[in-house]
Amino acid sequence: MSLKKLFENAVFNWVLITSIVIVMIITNGILAMKTIEDLSATQSSLYNTGDVIVELDDLHNLILMAETGQRGYLLTEIEEYLTPYQDALGRLNAQINDTKKLRSEVPGQTERIASLIQLVEQKVNELTKTVELALAEKEKRALKQVMTGRGRDLYRELRAEIEQIKTLEINYRNSLFTILSAVEREAKVTFIISGITSTLLLLGLAFFARLNAKSEVKHRLQLEQQNQVLADKVAMRTKELTIYSDELSRSNRELEDFAFVASHDLQEPLRKIRAFGDRLQTSYAPLLDEKGADYINRMRNAAERMSNLINDLLEFSRISTRGKPFVNVPLQEIVASTLEDLEISIDESKAELIVATLPAINADPSQMHHLFINLISNAIKFRQADVQPVVEINYCQEEITFEPWHIITVKDNGIGFEQEFADKIFVPFQRLHARTQYKGTGIGLAICRRIVERHGGKISATSVLGEGTVFRIAIPVNNALINLIGDNANA
């Protein structure tokens, strides 16, 4: 064979060997990269589903802490129980934001988590309203609200939702462990083949194969450590949940017993005062002197005020529970109807009403009527002496947090008040003036706030003493979902 032929054969062999080496290196590289990517993706998925489980447990624990503190305070009226309640509420907002950021890989979990967040927000609102009533010395109303069972039903729905989400995440995590085991087996086979071929073809590949093997062991150890941490956290949360559940059950039983007694006994004294007062005035009026008659009148007036307070409080409480479904409400017609109802007081005070063009909004018609009656009658009642009252109702639409809102303002030129009391006027039974100056129970503006809040909006007041007040009502244009949630909650 000629040298040329030998050279050509040698070149061909080297080219063939080099091609085989390159193909094997590329193949081994592709297999190794796929194994690493599978391991990394599986590890990331395990971290993610673990975070979902831990965040849900933290959210559940905070709700239980808040409810335990609420029940303890309502039962005992000891303010020390408010410490865990306030601490839990303070941490709940951050926890809710963290939960909203969760991105589960399980199909349908995003919708379930969104539904869970809505339940949590409803539960927080129920807890907050009850404690606010208790702090405002309305224990009876607070207990009555608790006895509706709404809080218990919300907690059951919330716990069921959490358990469903956790079960799906745990099942998904178990499937990830199965995938991880398969990936590990594939990785071992891949690296064995890579080691053998690399040893036969190129010693250098063996070095890189060993590095990959060490990296694999490192990842596996990290996964095992993370799994142990997650297992410890789950065990600790389970123990805490058991303790909180037992305490909550005991508090509920005691609170139900107390509310049953209070709801019957607290009504009787008022009925007796009014009944005996009427009997005294009817049967013994000729036997009483002027002072005695005055005492009876004062007693009957006090009983009447108490009756009005109870009725106003009942109306205040029914804003959410007895509200009608939202419909398309033309505010122009609502205001016109309101002015007809207030015709006598408007004529007596010679008030001037300036009403801008108002839109139709999605709302409860009767509550909108009640809202404008309270605001306009307040503007007329708290007028300045010897000054013609002027009430202006204006409307515009604004963008707030990238969403359109209805903005309605009611402006008057009345007596006004110091701006530092702007929040106090919306608190039930809070008065800035003596009862002898201006009649009323002090709950009208609190009802206004409840009505606006039921529509998903906010109400605020800006005032200057001696110059008048401007009430600003902001209601979201797209509040259909708020109405749907409220109706489901009342149901």
Side-chain angles (χ1 to χ4, degrees):
M1 186 177 291
S2 63
L3 291 176
K4 181 180 179 181
K5 191 64 175 179
L6 290 173
F7 179 76
E8 289 178 352
N9 289 337
V11 170
F12 176 78
N13 290 335
W14 277 110
V15 170
L16 180 61
I17 293 172
T18 303
S19 300
I20 293 173
V21 169
I22 292 174
V23 170
M24 293 301 299
I25 290 174
I26 293 174
T27 302
N28 290 333
I30 292 174
L31 292 174
M33 289 298 296
K34 182 179 181 302
T35 301
I36 293 174
E37 289 175 358
D38 291 344
L39 283 171
S40 178
T42 305
Q43 180 186 19
S44 177
S45 297
L46 282 170
Y47 285 144
N48 184 63
T49 190
D51 289 340
V52 172
I53 294 172
V54 170
E55 292 295 336
L56 290 176
D57 284 336
D58 289 341
L59 184 64
H60 193 185
N61 287 337
L62 288 174
I63 293 170
L64 283 173
M65 288 175 62
E67 188 160 19
T68 300
Q70 176 227 32
R71 301 292 175 143
Y73 177 72
L74 291 178
L75 181 62
T76 63
E77 298 185 12
I78 298 176
E79 293 188 354
E80 291 179 0
Y81 282 98
L82 289 179
T83 301
Y85 162 80
Q86 293 169 346
D87 179 61
L89 284 188
R91 294 160 55 191
L92 256 177
N93 289 332
Q95 188 61 42
I96 289 174
N97 291 332
D98 292 341
T99 306
K100 288 180 179 178
K101 297 176 182 178
L102 295 176
R103 294 294 180 268
S104 175
E105 298 176 6
V106 179
Q109 289 289 67
T110 300
E111 292 78 7
R112 296 185 189 96
I113 292 174
S115 177
L116 174 63
I117 294 299
Q118 292 179 358
L119 289 173
V120 170
E121 291 174 347
Q122 292 178 33
K123 182 62 179 176
V124 170
N125 288 336
E126 186 268 337
L127 293 173
T128 305
K129 290 178 181 177
T130 306
V131 172
E132 286 177 353
L133 285 172
L135 289 174
E137 297 183 359
K138 297 175 183 61
E139 290 81 5
K140 176 182 175 181
R141 171 64 189 118
L143 292 174
K144 187 174 181 181
Q145 181 167 321
V146 172
M147 287 300 295
T148 61
R150 178 57 188 158
R152 180 179 65 251
D153 294 340
L154 276 175
Y155 176 73
R156 287 176 178 172
E157 294 177 23
L158 189 149
R159 182 175 63 184
E161 194 73 21
I162 289 177
E163 290 300 326
Q164 182 185 12
I165 296 173
K166 285 178 59 179
T167 299
L168 293 174
E169 291 293 334
I170 291 172
N171 292 338
Y172 180 63
R173 184 179 64 183
N174 293 336
S175 67
L176 289 176
F177 282 127
T178 302
I179 295 173
L180 183 63
S181 300
V183 172
E184 289 180 351
R185 289 193 298 270
E186 292 176 2
K188 291 179 181 178
V189 174
T190 299
F191 287 128
I192 290 174
I193 295 175
S194 178
I196 294 174
T197 56
S198 296
T199 301
L200 295 175
L201 299 174
L202 192 62
L203 294 177
L205 293 178
F207 174 73
F208 293 106
R210 292 182 63 184
L211 289 180
N212 288 335
K214 291 181 179 180
S215 177
E216 177 193 352
V217 173
K218 180 180 178 180
H219 285 304
R220 185 170 62 249
L221 290 175
Q222 290 177 347
L223 284 175
E224 292 175 353
Q225 292 174 355
Q226 184 65 24
N227 290 337
Q228 185 60 42
V229 170
L230 289 175
D232 294 340
K233 287 183 177 180
V234 169
M236 181 178 64
R237 297 294 190 273
T238 302
K239 183 178 179 181
E240 292 176 352
L241 288 175
T242 302
I243 295 174
Y244 289 140
S245 179
D246 293 341
E247 292 179 353
L248 186 58
S249 298
R250 177 178 54 80
S251 298
N252 284 337
R253 289 193 301 270
E254 294 175 352
L255 191 57
E256 288 172 1
D257 294 340
F258 178 78
F260 178 79
V261 175
S263 63
H264 289 78
D265 293 350
L266 294 181
Q267 291 291 341
E268 187 61 25
L270 179 59
R271 288 194 292 268
K272 286 187 177 181
I273 290 173
R274 299 184 69 180
F276 284 113
D278 291 339
R279 291 181 184 178
L280 281 173
Q281 191 171 47
T282 302
S283 303
Y284 297 94
L287 303 178
L288 298 174
D289 58 9
E290 183 178 351
K291 181 178 291 187
D294 180 57
Y295 287 162
I296 291 177
N297 286 330
R298 290 188 182 187
M299 179 182 68
R300 295 182 71 236
N301 290 337
E304 184 67 25
R305 287 198 303 272
M306 186 64 184
S307 177
N308 291 335
L309 288 174
I310 292 174
N311 291 333
D312 287 346
L313 184 59
L314 181 61
E315 182 180 0
F316 180 75
S317 67
R318 287 178 174 176
I319 290 174
S320 297
T321 59
R322 299 290 181 89
K324 297 179 181 178
F326 292 179
V327 295
N328 194 43
V329 179
L331 292 184
Q332 203 79 41
E333 297 180 7
I334 294 292
V335 172
S337 174
T338 301
L339 297 182
E340 290 179 3
D341 293 342
L342 296 174
E343 182 178 2
I344 294 176
S345 61
I346 292 174
D347 291 341
E348 290 178 349
S349 62
K350 299 181 180 179
E352 179 183 357
L353 274 297
I354 303 173
V355 182
T357 302
L358 302 177
I361 68 172
N362 190 41
D364 182 333
S366 61
Q367 291 189 351
M368 285 294 105
H369 184 78
H370 203 162
L371 173 66
F372 282 107
I373 276 188
N374 280 340
L375 292 177
I376 297 173
S377 61
N378 266 11
I380 296 174
K381 178 170 67 173
F382 295 103
R383 61 184 181 271
Q384 299 188 60
D386 302 326
V387 175
Q388 180 190 15
V390 178
V391 183
E392 299 181 28
I393 302 176
N394 292 303
Y395 168 81
C396 67
Q397 192 173 112
E398 292 183 4
E399 291 284 332
I400 302 177
T401 61
F402 306 104
E403 293 290 338
W405 287 64
H406 299 296
I407 306 298
I408 304 165
T409 58
V410 180
K411 179 181 178 182
D412 63 61
N413 62 340
I415 61 175
F417 57 86
E418 297 288 352
Q419 188 61 32
E420 62 183 286
F421 301 114
D423 293 331
K424 182 178 179 181
I425 63 174
F426 294 106
V427 178
F429 307 120
Q430 293 293 321
R431 304 174 59 94
L432 301 183
H433 307 89
R435 189 163 35 245
T436 55
Q437 290 181 280
Y438 299 98
K439 295 182 179 180
T441 59
I443 201 172
L445 290 178
I447 291 176
C448 291
R449 183 175 68 174
R450 287 290 297 275
I451 291 173
V452 174
E453 288 177 349
R454 183 186 174 235
H455 289 73
K458 300 177 181 178
I459 184 171
S460 60
T462 304
S463 183
V464 177
L465 188 63
E467 296 184 11
T469 304
V470 178
F471 288 92
R472 185 178 188 271
I473 303 164
I475 298 177
V477 174
N478 303 315
N479 62 350
L481 180 59
I482 296 172
N483 178 40
L484 179 61
I485 293 173
D487 290 342
N488 291 337
N490 294 335

